[in-house]
Amino acid sequence: MYTLSQVQIDMARNSTDDFNLFHDQFRWGWIKQNPFTGPIALGFQLGCLIETHIPKNSPHVTVDMLRFSSFELKFANCVMVGDKIDVEFKKGRLSKNENGKQFSTRVCLKANGKPAMIGFKRDGEYPTLNLDLPEILVSQLKDLPDRSFVLDNQYFLKRKWMIVGNAKNFLLSAFADQTVFIDEFANKVTFPQMYPLSLLSSAMLERAQAANYDLVQNPLIYTSQHLSIDKVQLKEMRSNDALNILVKQPQYLPGGIQRFDCFGFVNQQTPLFMAQVDLISVSDMKVK
């Protein structure tokens, strides 16, 4: 069990360039109709805690042998400074269909004994997301200007860089042992799966600013995240590799939900990751 501090939140937001006011200890009160009484943890920060504390193997399979890693997570409540955090995992289950093998584990992250994030962590021979890919070559994508709307304004492009020092701080924000992933004495650099995924929040915030969306008067908060990442590509990544993130124009769903399809490209035509995230404005949400 861990106790969340503002230091952990700041490490997460600084290492991912997430400037959302919900996490800011000095500015959280700026948010109109903010239902929370102080700064809250980053969703991807909590996802990293799940990733780095989940059992890696079972009697049936070694998950590192399965190429794609997926997270299907829903937010049941927020996690705030001083909360006691614990993660529970159900016994994993191996299944097989026409696409190949998949190992699934049910997860529940709790704050003060109450569920805050629930869902599944899956490792498989295939990604769990099947999204229509943007019709563009990676070579073309690299030449487009950063922070611009592209492909007939259907996508927003944000270019980020994989930085080892930032990944270390991100791991520490999730109470993880950074040497398991990054150890200069062992000449080892392996980014956690949640680190490139976490850069999505920065991209989406910059998209909102570019679209003149008011993040103070009507901010959005995550309700769910469905994330899928290619572990083979991730293993090949090194510090200063460019990550080109595309955020598609949102779909508007019942209940005020805005659904964003997102993609991260590095050097291959197939994406490093695909993500489908749902957000809602604070004026539409119901706090439990």
Side-chain angles (χ1 to χ4, degrees), residues 235-271:
K235 191 174 182 180
E236 296 171 350
M237 297 194 71
R238 294 295 177 264
S239 190
N240 294 319
D241 279 351
L243 172 63
N244 295 283
I245 300 174
L246 288 174
V247 180
K248 193 174 183 180
Q249 292 282 9
Q251 306 172 52
Y252 293 91
L253 307 180
I257 296 290
Q258 295 186 37
R259 172 167 293 174
F260 292 84
D261 292 347
C262 310
F263 306 86
F265 292 91
V266 186
N267 295 313
Q268 298 185 27
Q269 192 58 41
T270 54

Side-chain angles (χ1 to χ4, degrees), residues 65-68 94-103 123-130:
M65 298 170 60
L66 302 173
R67 178 164 185 166
F68 296 96
L94 182 67
S95 60
K96 186 175 182 180
N97 59 28
E98 64 274 11
N99 296 312
K101 297 178 182 177
Q102 184 179 84
F103 187 72
D123 293 87
E125 295 176 330
Y126 57 94
T128 57
L129 271 175
N130 184 22

Side-chain angles (χ1 to χ4, degrees), residues 156-169:
F156 179 77
L157 169 64
K158 177 57 191 171
R159 189 168 293 115
K160 304 292 290 184
W161 279 265
M162 302 289 285
I163 306 297
V164 167
N166 286 343
K168 288 180 181 178
N169 283 326

Side-chain angles (χ1 to χ4, degrees), residues 42-184:
L42 286 68
F44 288 103
Q45 174 186 18
L46 301 177
C48 187
L49 195 154
I50 290 172
E51 173 196 348
T52 54
H53 290 76
I54 194 169
K56 301 296 181 183
N57 304 311
S58 80
H60 309 289
V61 68
T62 299
V63 297
D64 286 341
M65 298 170 60
L66 302 173
R67 178 164 185 166
F68 296 96
S69 178
S70 301
F71 300 82
E72 300 171 18
L73 303 172
K74 292 186 176 182
F75 293 85
N77 220 324
C78 67
V79 180
M80 302 184 67
V81 173
D83 283 355
K84 305 292 185 182
I85 308 172
D86 195 16
V87 189
E88 295 180 355
F89 305 101
K90 298 293 186 181
K91 184 178 180 180
R93 175 176 172 269
L94 182 67
S95 60
K96 186 175 182 180
N97 59 28
E98 64 274 11
N99 296 312
K101 297 178 182 177
Q102 184 179 84
F103 187 72
S104 303
T105 305
R106 182 181 290 274
V107 302
C108 179
L109 184 146
K110 294 183 176 181
N112 301 327
K114 297 181 179 180
M117 181 181 283
I118 56 176
F120 289 91
K121 168 70 167 66
R122 306 187 196 272
D123 293 87
E125 295 176 330
Y126 57 94
T128 57
L129 271 175
N130 184 22
L131 304 178
D132 293 331
L133 297 180
E135 295 183 1
I136 189 170
L137 298 176
V138 172
S139 57
Q140 297 173 310
L141 191 61
K142 292 179 178 180
D143 292 333
L144 294 174
D146 183 24
R147 292 187 291 186
S148 61
F149 288 93
V150 300
L151 298 175
D152 295 327
N153 292 325
Q154 286 299 303
Y155 293 87
F156 179 77
L157 169 64
K158 177 57 191 171
R159 189 168 293 115
K160 304 292 290 184
W161 279 265
M162 302 289 285
I163 306 297
V164 167
N166 286 343
K168 288 180 181 178
N169 283 326
F170 185 63
L171 285 162
L172 290 176
S173 79
F175 305 95
D177 179 358
Q178 68 182 48
T179 61
V180 173
F181 295 86
I182 300 168
D183 186 347
E184 287 82 357

